[in-house]
Amino acid sequence: MNFSLPELPYAHNALEPVISQRTIEYHYGKHHQAYINNLNNLIKGTEFEDKTLEQIIQNAEGAIYNNAAQAWNHTFYFQSFTAQGKQKPEGKLLEAIQQQWGTFEQFQNEFAAAATSLFGSGWAWLVVNQNKQLEITKEPNAGNPLTKQQIPLLTFDVWEHAYYLDYQNQRPEHIKQLWNIIDWNVIEKRYEQAVK
Ligand code: MN
């Protein structure tokens, strides 16, 4: 399969000032594109040539895994944002968060702590685990919850390329601002799919 860069569901400047147009142009236009180009080149002539992205993530190792997982993670990440979002989820997802962490604010604190404390490059995740419960995880490098039979709901990219142009070394400030652009309608739908 030849993979291509998915369109963004918003204009390149729509997430400003939280994520600048310049960061989108590099992060989406160059980094995300590069993972997809690398993957297309790497799978040529291999057993993965005709597989889906999810099948490649579940079965590949090394460079093929890294580029496939980064392609998937970035698509998932960029589809989680909107300029017109609400400040917190509603319905079943909010109830599940409150059941797990007491309050939405406490969930935010723990998610931010996971994202901030991840050493080096990687991803913080909110997942539905194998017991159908919400869990916060963090994965180094190209880590992806699908390899652990977890269903991802939300992720923050804490590779420096995600924030360095706008926030330099201030990862905690970037994380704090990201809450303003989460598309909770999308996350709620992912949750409903995950637990049905
Ligand atoms: Mn990234």
Side-chain angles (χ1 to χ4, degrees):
M1 192 179 297
N2 210 34
F3 298 102
S4 55
L5 187 66
E7 297 267 331
L8 292 180
Y10 40 76
H12 288 191
N13 63 357
L15 305 179
E16 292 191 340
V18 177
I19 299 177
S20 69
Q21 177 165 348
R22 190 151 173 263
T23 288
I24 291 286
E25 283 166 0
Y26 276 88
H27 194 192
Y28 167 75
K30 297 196 186 293
H31 289 277
H32 193 184
Q33 181 73 67
Y35 295 124
I36 287 166
N37 294 346
N38 291 342
L39 180 64
N40 285 334
N41 289 328
L42 286 163
I43 60 176
K44 266 182 210 148
T46 75
E47 62 183 298
F48 299 110
E49 199 166 31
D50 299 317
K51 298 289 192 288
T52 66
L53 201 48
E54 288 79 8
Q55 288 171 327
I56 297 173
I57 290 168
Q58 303 273 15
N59 295 293
E61 294 176 347
I64 293 181
Y65 169 82
N66 284 336
N67 283 283
Q70 285 293 81
W72 194 99
N73 291 357
H74 282 89
T75 297
F76 189 83
Y77 169 80
F78 284 121
Q79 286 173 352
S80 306
F81 299 129
T82 176
Q84 290 92 29
K86 51 192 180 189
Q87 285 297 304
K88 60 198 282 188
E90 299 172 289
K92 286 180 179 164
L93 176 58
L94 180 61
E95 285 169 25
I97 287 173
Q98 288 170 337
Q99 196 170 10
Q100 195 72 29
W101 289 284
T103 63
F104 176 69
E105 291 69 29
Q106 184 59 24
F107 155 73
Q108 284 181 302
N109 290 341
E110 295 196 23
F111 193 89
T116 304
S117 64
L118 199 162
F119 184 78
S121 297
W123 302 80
W125 297 89
L126 173 64
V127 303
V128 174
N129 66 23
Q130 292 186 70
N131 301 324
K132 296 279 184 188
Q133 286 185 315
L134 293 178
E135 186 178 334
I136 294 167
T137 70
K138 48 186 180 180
E139 297 282 347
N141 302 316
N144 181 298
L146 297 174
T147 62
K148 298 175 177 171
Q149 289 74 54
Q150 298 165 339
I151 303 170
L153 303 181
L154 174 70
T155 191
F156 283 8
D157 182 348
V158 295
W159 285 58
E160 281 188 343
H161 69 218
Y163 58 86
Y164 212 85
L165 289 175
D166 298 333
Y167 299 84
Q168 292 75 50
N169 60 327
Q170 303 296 319
R171 187 194 288 187
E173 182 59 21
H174 171 65
I175 290 163
K176 188 177 156 195
Q177 295 303 326
L178 277 183
W179 296 115
N180 293 314
I181 55 167
I182 304 300
D183 191 344
W184 286 109
N185 292 333
V186 167
I187 317 303
E188 287 165 12
K189 285 199 191 89
R190 290 171 179 166
Y191 180 68
E192 282 157 29
Q193 284 292 110
V195 295
K196 80 173 184 187

